[in-house]
Amino acid sequence: MSKSAWKRAGVALTAVAVVTGVAGCQDGGDSKAAPKEAPKASAEAQGHGDVTKVIQAAYEKTSKAKAAKVKMTMSVEGVGAESGTIEMSGVQSWAPAAMDITMKGSMLGKGKPGAPEQMRMIMLDNVMYMDAGAKQAAEMDGKRWMKLDLTAAAEATGDKAVQKQLTGGLDNMNQDPAQQLALLLDSPDLKHIGAEKINGLETQHYKGTLTFEQMLKANESSKLLSKEDHDKLIAGMKKTGLKGYDTELWVTEDGYPTRMDIGMTMAEGKMRIRADYTDYGTQIAVQAPPAEDTLDLFEMLKGMGTA
């Protein structure tokens, strides 16, 4: 494979890191599939009356919708080389879990040799496919798609921390907006801000804050951690200076969340993730590229290691 194709592979791997990082930041990097039953608000949140009922109703409708169109933007400020923006738009389903999105932004390496203006990514059956483009296909035996099975790659590392980071991010990419609603119900200061027009729609604005410890407690998979691993995770997050997650939610008149904002402030800088959702219940057909058009990055890297 040519040098430029190798650079493209590097960009693809960077894109994977960015996307799993975006997903992982949303809830501590460890959530699993959305619960099948509507969550119950914590005792503290129960006191919010109608606000809690609105969020619970939105959770139920969103879970049943199973799919939506999504436009997500993440911006990072003051976190060294990670500073920049990434925009993702496309379709997402959560029953079954699948995505077909296009990414663009400075975090893809804009301005650097081999960096694309944008990149299409498909996720299906826990495997990512990244479109290298027609030009690069000529340098990769006609294969324009790069394939990476993150589950297999994580298992091959033999490092539990790396496995957790990769598969945790992948799990969160499967995460539907209902999971964010479920987490918001655990906020002790969940409140109604007021009416607001978003993307031309009449909405009601809600806001709540969760500490990292509260989010970890709400996360079912975190209960599988040993006390030592749990304490290490808490200690690691405290070193970043992350105190909590501010979540804002805008719900339309028909009961669906149309926008979610998640803000995080750390010692080194700030991160904000904004997701706009439309067309809930849309029928999507995410398909993997033909096998003959894909280059398996994991198998290629394994071969290099053997060599």
Side-chain angles (χ1 to χ4, degrees):
M1 190 163 62
S2 71
K3 185 176 180 179
S4 62
W6 273 110
K7 286 183 179 179
R8 191 73 171 190
V11 170
L13 291 171
T14 300
V16 171
V18 168
V19 175
T20 55
V22 170
C25 285
Q26 292 186 53
D27 67 354
D30 219 5
S31 75
K32 299 301 177 183
K36 294 182 180 179
E37 296 181 359
K40 294 182 179 180
S42 64
E44 292 171 295
Q46 293 269 2
H48 294 283
D50 291 343
V51 174
T52 298
K53 290 180 181 178
V54 169
I55 305 303
Q56 285 179 323
Y59 168 89
E60 293 175 4
K61 295 195 73 168
T62 304
S63 293
K64 291 177 181 178
K66 298 183 180 180
K69 293 181 180 179
V70 60
K71 182 177 181 180
M72 184 182 295
T73 302
M74 182 183 79
S75 60
V76 181
E77 299 178 11
V79 191
E82 298 300 323
S83 295
T85 61
I86 187 80
E87 296 179 10
M88 295 178 281
S89 60
V91 292
Q92 174 188 8
S93 73
W94 41 91
M99 295 182 80
D100 188 341
I101 61 174
T102 298
M103 301 182 293
K104 61 181 180 179
S106 60
M107 292 182 75
L108 277 183
K110 185 177 181 180
K112 295 181 180 180
E117 289 293 322
Q118 62 181 33
M119 178 178 288
R120 183 183 172 195
M121 189 195 74
I122 291 173
M123 191 193 75
L124 188 66
D125 297 330
N126 291 340
V127 179
M128 285 186 178
Y129 301 89
M130 293 144 285
D131 188 357
K135 183 178 179 181
Q136 290 299 322
E139 301 180 29
M140 298 191 303
D141 300 324
K143 303 177 186 294
R144 67 176 291 162
W145 289 90
M146 296 181 181
K147 171 186 175 182
L148 184 61
D149 186 329
L150 286 187
T151 302
E155 291 175 352
T157 66
D159 186 323
K160 290 185 177 180
V162 174
Q163 291 173 11
K164 187 175 181 180
Q165 182 178 1
L166 287 173
T167 58
L170 186 60
D171 285 334
N172 288 325
M173 285 192 65
N174 298 345
Q175 177 173 296
D176 60 272
Q179 287 188 322
Q180 293 297 339
L181 296 173
L183 284 171
L184 193 57
L185 284 170
D186 280 317
S187 172
D189 63 351
L190 179 60
K191 58 187 176 183
H192 177 227
I193 303 300
E196 191 172 339
K197 184 169 283 189
I198 297 293
N199 295 330
L201 299 174
E202 297 295 337
T203 73
Q204 296 298 322
H205 184 185
Y206 302 88
K207 184 176 182 179
T209 302
L210 288 173
T211 65
F212 178 74
E213 288 85 352
Q214 286 171 325
M215 295 193 79
L216 193 62
K217 183 178 179 181
N219 190 330
E220 289 296 322
S221 62
S222 69
K223 297 176 183 178
L224 302 176
L225 294 173
S226 66
K227 184 180 184 305
E228 180 181 5
D229 288 340
H230 180 276
D231 291 345
K232 283 183 179 178
L233 182 58
I234 294 292
M237 293 308 298
K238 285 183 176 179
K239 285 182 180 179
T240 70
L242 177 63
K243 294 182 179 179
Y245 298 69
D246 294 320
T247 300
E248 296 189 62
L249 169 72
W250 289 262
V251 180
T252 61
E253 293 178 332
D254 57 2
Y256 288 103
T258 190
R259 171 173 290 176
M260 290 187 184
D261 272 3
I262 300 173
M264 291 162 271
T265 301
M266 296 161 281
E268 294 184 353
K270 298 180 180 180
M271 179 183 297
R272 179 163 293 278
I273 300 171
R274 167 167 290 180
D276 287 335
Y277 297 95
T278 60
D279 298 277
Y280 280 95
T282 186
Q283 297 296 313
I284 68 172
V286 177
Q287 295 183 333
E292 61 268 22
D293 293 336
T294 64
L295 178 69
D296 194 318
L297 283 176
F298 179 54
E299 290 299 322
M300 184 175 68
L301 293 172
K302 275 183 21 180
M304 288 177 58
T306 301

